[in-house]
Amino acid sequence: MSYLPAERRYSAMTYRRAGRSGVQLPAVSLGLWHNFGDVDSSENARQMLLRAFDLGIMHFDLANNYGPPPGSAESTFGRVLQGDLAPYRDELLISTKAGYTMWPGPHGDWGSRKSLLSSLDASLKRLGLEYVDIFYHHRPDPNTPLEETMSALDAAVRSGRALYVGLSNYSAEQTRRAAALLQDLGTPLLIHQPKYSMYERWIEGGLLETLAEVGAGCIAFSPLAQGRLTDRYLKGIPGDSRAASGPGFLRPEHITDSLLAGTARLNALAHERGQTLAQMALSWVLRTPGVTSALIGASRVSQIEDAAGALAGAAFSQGELEIIEGVLREHPGI
């Protein structure tokens, strides 16, 4: 049976402008970092993507190395796009990135013109697209002149392979320099994608101010601290959880007694607000001036539905923010 999206898919979602651009992102966007590779259920991936679109989440974020294996998340998305979402391509904002290891040899990662444009061409083939909406440099390259990297991003736009460009994991000063170079080239920086959550707040130390100065947006990845800002681990480490699934960024030793104690206190506050802990954590990220969107990951449809429900939450009172700050001081994250 062919897919028909919800007619009122844009009625409940909130959209925010990325910096001073004309681009509007949903307050909650979906990233395909995990659970969309060849090792995962293709039907579950399809159901998550379609349900997200039904909820007004029309921004899907990828990277060349997402999987596993690397590249397979783009292939998965490409199949769903061609099979279900192709008629709605003009409604979608699709992004991908390059900068981490993708193939052997000296140009398989980092930020040379050769690496970035070759990677983008391969991404477009896997996605089955002529262009992506946003092309990111995934991380700063200490050994390639920033001028070369930014000229490659500019070339991606001028060649029609991307509409806009972004940066990820750049410091405030690196972002300022990159934005100036891009402005001179005539391809303004659209957006920055940093890690940001209650447990990871480095962007409050200058990056947000820099983005405001240069007119760029901010889409926060890992707003739930890879599941640590949910109730998933309050009763132990589930066998199907990210912490239990083998080598990765989140491991069992990260789920400490202190972390669990703080999570329980935050969970209680969330319930007082009529939210799940995940919803409150997303609301907290989105209350930050300058944050355009919170980029979630998901392993099941219900997690996407829960995340979208965060937008119905009330604004934080000063007392609630003070409680959160107190918990974070006593029980800091990793």
Side-chain angles (χ1 to χ4, degrees):
M1 184 176 179
S2 60
Y3 165 72
L4 290 175
E7 290 186 4
R8 295 180 54 80
R9 55 189 174 277
Y10 297 113
S11 62
M13 179 55 62
T14 299
Y15 299 91
R16 298 178 170 195
R17 194 169 301 278
R20 292 195 289 267
S21 76
V23 175
Q24 297 185 57
L25 271 62
V28 175
S29 300
L30 181 61
L32 281 69
W33 183 13
H34 297 285
N35 304 309
F36 291 86
D38 284 350
V39 300
D40 303 298
S41 165
S42 59
E43 182 56 27
N44 185 55
R46 175 178 177 268
Q47 291 300 325
M48 288 193 289
L49 292 167
L50 299 186
R51 182 58 179 148
F53 189 50
D54 282 342
L55 292 168
I57 298 173
M58 37 49 110
H59 178 35
F60 300 100
D61 179 75
L62 300 110
N64 60 351
N65 63 330
Y66 288 176
S72 58
E74 290 179 326
S75 297
T76 296
F77 184 83
R79 286 191 294 271
V80 176
L81 178 63
Q82 299 308 315
D84 298 287
L85 293 173
Y88 315 102
R89 171 62 182 101
D90 291 341
E91 298 181 37
L92 306 179
L93 280 170
I94 301 168
S95 60
T96 196
K97 314 178 197 73
Y100 281 95
T101 302
M102 190 61 193
W103 61 80
H107 300 117
D109 62 5
W110 295 110
S112 70
R113 184 183 183 92
K114 163 69 173 174
S115 176
L116 294 185
L117 295 180
S118 295
S119 179
L120 178 55
D121 287 340
S123 290
L124 292 173
K125 289 179 182 178
R126 287 188 292 268
L127 291 164
L129 292 172
E130 295 181 354
Y131 71 94
V132 291
D133 297 284
I134 309 170
F135 182 50
Y136 286 89
H137 187 218
H138 210 161
R139 60 172 172 171
D141 182 348
N143 298 311
T144 297
L146 192 59
E147 291 82 357
E148 178 177 343
T149 302
M150 295 306 106
S151 73
L153 296 183
D154 175 65
V157 171
R158 293 186 183 278
S159 64
R161 290 122 112 183
L163 299 184
Y164 302 93
V165 299
L167 305 174
S168 186
N169 299 305
Y170 275 57
S171 70
E173 181 54 34
Q174 290 167 330
T175 299
R176 184 177 287 106
R177 289 184 56 219
L181 290 169
L182 287 168
Q183 189 68 41
D184 288 344
L185 290 165
T187 299
L189 174 65
L190 175 73
I191 199 162
H192 190 297
Q193 187 177 131
K195 182 183 286 189
Y196 182 52
S197 72
M198 290 183 186
Y199 290 156
E200 184 98 24
R201 301 174 65 171
W202 71 272
I203 71 172
E204 296 173 4
L207 180 64
L208 287 171
E209 291 83 352
T210 296
L211 295 177
E213 290 171 10
V214 303
C218 176
I219 179 168
F221 78 87
S222 291
L224 303 181
Q226 294 191 292
R228 287 177 287 136
L229 285 166
T230 72
D231 60 7
R232 188 139 168 79
Y233 298 103
L234 287 178
K235 297 180 180 180
I237 300 176
D240 63 345
S241 67
R242 190 174 294 183
S245 61
F249 292 95
L250 185 62
R251 298 185 293 276
E253 58 265 30
H254 294 152
I255 311 301
T256 64
D257 290 342
S258 177
L259 178 72
L260 292 174
T263 302
R265 291 175 62 186
L266 292 172
N267 191 54
L269 176 61
H271 285 177
E272 291 177 10
R273 286 174 46 81
Q275 292 184 302
T276 64
L277 176 53
Q279 288 174 336
M280 186 178 79
L282 291 173
S283 295
W284 184 91
V285 165
L286 290 168
R287 112 267 179 235
T288 306
V291 172
T292 311
S293 182
L295 182 62
I296 64 164
S299 60
R300 54 182 62 89
V301 165
S302 61
Q303 293 171 341
I304 299 171
E305 293 171 338
D306 184 74
L311 303 180
F316 287 99
S317 68
Q318 186 59 38
E320 289 171 336
L321 292 174
E322 290 173 358
I323 291 172
I324 291 171
E325 291 297 330
V327 172
L328 296 178
R329 282 194 299 270
E330 294 180 38
H331 305 280
I334 295 171

